[in-house]
Amino acid sequence: MAEKAKSGSAFWETIKTIVYALLIAGVFRTLFFQPFWIPSGSMKPTLLIGDFLFVNKMVYGYSYASCPSVKIASIGLDIDAEDICGWMGRDNTRILGGEPERGDVVVFRHPATGRDYIKRLIGLPGDKIQIKDGVLNINGTPVKLEADGVFEEIAEPQGPQRLRPRCENGPVGAGGICKKSEYIETLPNGVSHAILNIGDQASDNTGIYVVPEKHYFFMGDNRDNSSDSRLPQAAGGVGFVPYENLIGRADRIMFSSAGRSMLFFWTWRGDRFFKAVD
């Protein structure tokens, strides 16, 4: 009988330990750092499919979007960040709020779908953004753009979603070399980063976007393969992103896997361990 009681006590102690660990992990993720796995190629060459990083959530302060969403379709679990942190309000403000800077690589909550996106912050409140002949113009002035060679990758399915890259050098057969022109873009505040070009398309020439107060304009570094603020939400894009939807800033890649799973250690990219996000 004593053994049974001891066994039952040990079982509940184990359950309590697991619950406490989950609570601590939840608080840590909500307040400090959130893991993020890059699922698509919209931020190449800065971020590759399979990069794993932690998002700094302290830098911009906290809003309802700081809480994680838990969605497991197989068991019908759908807990939204707003269900957990809706008490913070939806007035486009933040607690201990910090201002993002132009050029930051930011994870944010999509204003319509609620999914987490990662893009580069291009336009601040009040800015006028326009693309002319593929060149970014901010407040009527084109940014500095310098040719930086060619970005090359293997034309093969990438990541868990098995996405095939788009290539500037036309249709490329499986296993061939997929090429894109690479440029260094320098924003008005001096932040420089690499961008890619695939070819001429509608998004290379746009109207003028005027960024509303307490909203931001985001673009992917893989300019011709990114769904971002250039396309309104009604058309499947991102549109302007409210201040309260910011989750955090991506500062450093922890490791990177070129395979279908982060567990396939033989596909890890050794040159991307602890790499800074520029």
Side-chain angles (χ1 to χ4, degrees):
M1 203 71 160
E3 278 187 18
K4 206 177 269 188
K6 192 173 181 180
S7 174
S9 176
F11 173 77
W12 284 113
E13 284 300 318
T14 301
I15 295 297
K16 282 163 60 178
T17 299
I18 293 172
V19 170
Y20 291 152
L22 290 173
L23 286 174
I24 292 170
V27 170
F28 184 86
R29 176 175 174 174
T30 299
L31 296 180
F32 303 113
F33 298 96
Q34 176 175 317
F36 194 86
W37 180 263
I38 303 299
S40 75
S42 69
M43 281 295 292
K44 292 177 182 177
T46 306
L47 298 172
L48 304 180
I49 295 176
D51 282 351
F52 180 83
L53 48 85
F54 281 98
V55 179
N56 184 343
K57 304 182 82 167
M58 298 174 284
V59 66
Y60 303 141
Y62 306 97
S63 71
Y64 85 97
S66 300
C67 281
S69 295
V70 183
K71 300 179 188 292
I72 307 176
S74 59
I75 61 173
L77 184 64
D78 186 359
I79 302 175
D80 189 76
E82 195 167 5
D83 297 330
I84 304 171
C85 289
W87 56 270
M88 290 191 187
R90 293 298 305 275
D91 55 357
N92 206 13
T93 61
R94 306 182 71 86
I95 296 172
L96 303 176
E99 293 297 325
E101 297 182 8
R102 196 191 310 276
D104 285 356
V105 176
V106 180
V107 173
F108 59 88
R109 179 182 166 95
H110 190 287
T113 68
R115 293 177 57 195
D116 289 351
Y117 273 52
I118 185 165
K119 306 288 181 184
R120 190 176 297 276
L121 175 54
I122 297 297
L124 302 173
D127 279 345
K128 295 180 179 179
I129 307 295
Q130 185 176 24
I131 314 298
K132 293 182 179 180
D133 296 323
V135 179
L136 171 65
N137 285 249
I138 299 178
N139 296 322
T141 302
V143 300
K144 182 181 178 182
L145 206 61
E146 300 174 280
D148 192 44
V150 176
F151 175 82
E152 296 184 351
E153 58 186 335
I154 304 297
E156 61 184 3
Q158 300 176 352
Q161 300 180 46
R162 313 309 289 156
L163 301 174
R164 291 185 62 86
R166 291 179 58 205
C167 311
E168 187 178 13
N169 55 325
V172 177
I177 302 298
C178 177
K179 299 181 179 182
K180 302 176 183 68
S181 296
E182 184 169 331
Y183 299 87
I184 299 298
E185 180 179 85
T186 302
L187 301 176
N189 61 344
V191 173
S192 295
H193 58 275
I195 64 170
L196 300 181
N197 178 69
I198 298 173
D200 295 331
Q201 56 187 52
S203 58
D204 288 332
N205 289 280
T206 71
I208 297 175
Y209 306 92
V210 181
V211 185
E213 182 182 358
K214 286 190 175 182
H215 285 73
Y216 298 91
F217 189 97
F218 289 92
M219 294 176 68
D221 289 347
N222 192 359
R223 290 288 162 82
D224 293 338
N225 194 36
S226 173
S227 175
D228 49 40
S229 293
R230 289 171 290 179
L231 200 62
Q233 296 161 28
V238 172
F240 301 119
V241 177
Y243 181 46
E244 66 180 358
N245 281 47
L246 306 186
I247 294 175
R249 185 180 67 204
D251 291 333
R252 192 169 296 274
I253 299 163
M254 304 309 293
F255 68 89
S256 181
S257 171
R260 299 185 65 176
S261 169
M262 62 184 288
L263 301 178
F264 295 172
F265 62 87
W266 58 90
T267 66
W268 288 4
R269 303 176 177 110
D271 62 336
R272 297 185 72 77
F273 278 72
F274 307 112
K275 179 180 173 63
V277 177
D278 299 321

